[in-house]
Amino acid sequence: MAARSTGRTKRPTERKGELLDAARGVFAKKGISNATVDDIAARAGVSKGTFYLYFKSKDQIVGSLWEQYVEGFLKITETALADDGKQRDWHAVLWTIFEQLVGHALQHAELHRVIYRSADAQALEFCRRINEKVITRIAAAVRDGVDSGQIKLSEPELMARLLYHGTDGVLHDAIMSVTGLKEKEVLRAVRELYTKVFDAPVH
């Protein structure tokens, strides 16, 4: 007779989250191309059949992780821009956003490489839409900085786009090169770009 489980039944959202966490860990250790569904299921402590209750394939779980990754950029931006009711130091706020965006991107370098090398049109379009939301929020923060007199720019939205796309380009090149990927070097380059665009010191 099979042993009866004494553990509590987990909710679908909880189980799905555990599978995503397991996949993230397996991909970090073995790389996405070398990882298998068996590896993910074993790390999550479930059967292969349980995996297929939540995801149709390894590709689908990669897609779900990609959505989490891209949405992370928006979450970082919105968290930094949450109104705390105090007078804002806009240079500090904006630099915090870019510093955290760089770190987030480099932490997911392997996933970034796989998606771009596969030329997944749906994934890239999702990324474009989220990027536009992030840029819109950053541009609004830059305009607030201009209105407060802390930032001096004649075209705040265009300059926000320049900084974001410049940072995104540096990150993409660094990630796709695979070798020599150093967060300090990327941050130093982005910091220099920031000071040039906003003509201001970085905290």
Side-chain angles (χ1 to χ4, degrees), residues 95-109:
W95 177 246
T96 294
I97 291 172
F98 281 94
E99 187 174 38
Q100 292 181 2
L101 293 180
V102 169
H104 182 69
L106 297 184
Q107 287 168 16
H108 297 83

Side-chain angles (χ1 to χ4, degrees), residues 1 8 22 29 48 60 63 88 97 108 127 165 168 185:
M1 181 181 293
R8 67 180 178 83
K29 183 177 181 180
K48 190 174 180 179
Q60 187 180 37
R88 311 299 296 273
I97 291 172
H108 297 83
C127 184
H165 286 305
D168 185 60
E185 293 178 358

Side-chain angles (χ1 to χ4, degrees), residues 29-199:
K29 183 177 181 180
K30 302 185 69 171
I32 293 174
S33 59
N34 292 326
T36 66
V37 169
D38 285 324
D39 293 329
I40 297 169
R43 188 179 180 97
V46 301
S47 68
K48 190 174 180 179
T50 298
F51 174 94
Y52 285 116
L53 290 175
Y54 296 91
F55 300 98
K56 295 179 180 178
S57 64
K58 184 179 77 172
D59 286 345
Q60 187 180 37
I61 202 168
V62 169
S64 294
L65 286 173
W66 175 257
E67 289 187 7
Q68 281 189 349
Y69 161 57
V70 174
E71 288 172 343
F73 291 109
L74 185 59
K75 183 177 180 180
I76 286 169
T77 305
E78 291 183 335
T79 298
L81 293 176
D83 187 2
D84 57 9
K86 300 177 181 178
Q87 186 175 1
R88 311 299 296 273
D89 180 337
W90 286 107
H91 286 301
V93 171
L94 289 165
W95 177 246
T96 294
I97 291 172
F98 281 94
E99 187 174 38
Q100 292 181 2
L101 293 180
V102 169
H104 182 69
L106 297 184
Q107 287 168 16
H108 297 83
E110 173 67 12
L111 183 63
H112 182 110
R113 283 192 287 268
V114 168
I115 294 296
Y116 274 86
R117 285 173 178 163
S118 69
D120 186 323
Q122 185 176 353
L124 296 180
E125 173 59 19
F126 179 76
C127 184
R128 187 198 66 76
R129 292 199 307 270
I130 295 296
N131 279 345
E132 187 61 29
K133 290 182 179 180
V134 174
I135 291 170
T136 297
R137 285 157 175 75
I138 290 174
V142 173
R143 285 195 297 272
D144 286 341
V146 171
D147 291 343
S148 72
Q150 296 178 44
I151 296 175
K152 301 185 183 303
L153 288 173
S154 58
E155 299 290 343
E157 183 170 348
L158 289 176
M159 296 305 273
R161 287 182 177 277
L162 171 65
L163 181 58
Y164 186 86
H165 286 305
T167 300
D168 185 60
V170 167
L171 282 167
H172 180 72
D173 288 347
I175 288 171
M176 297 305 289
S177 70
V178 183
T179 59
L181 186 63
K182 296 181 179 179
E183 185 170 348
K184 287 184 179 180
E185 293 178 358
V186 175
L187 275 174
R188 187 160 54 243
V190 175
R191 181 187 292 266
E192 184 172 353
L193 178 62
Y194 180 97
T195 59
K196 297 295 184 184
V197 170
F198 291 104
D199 189 26

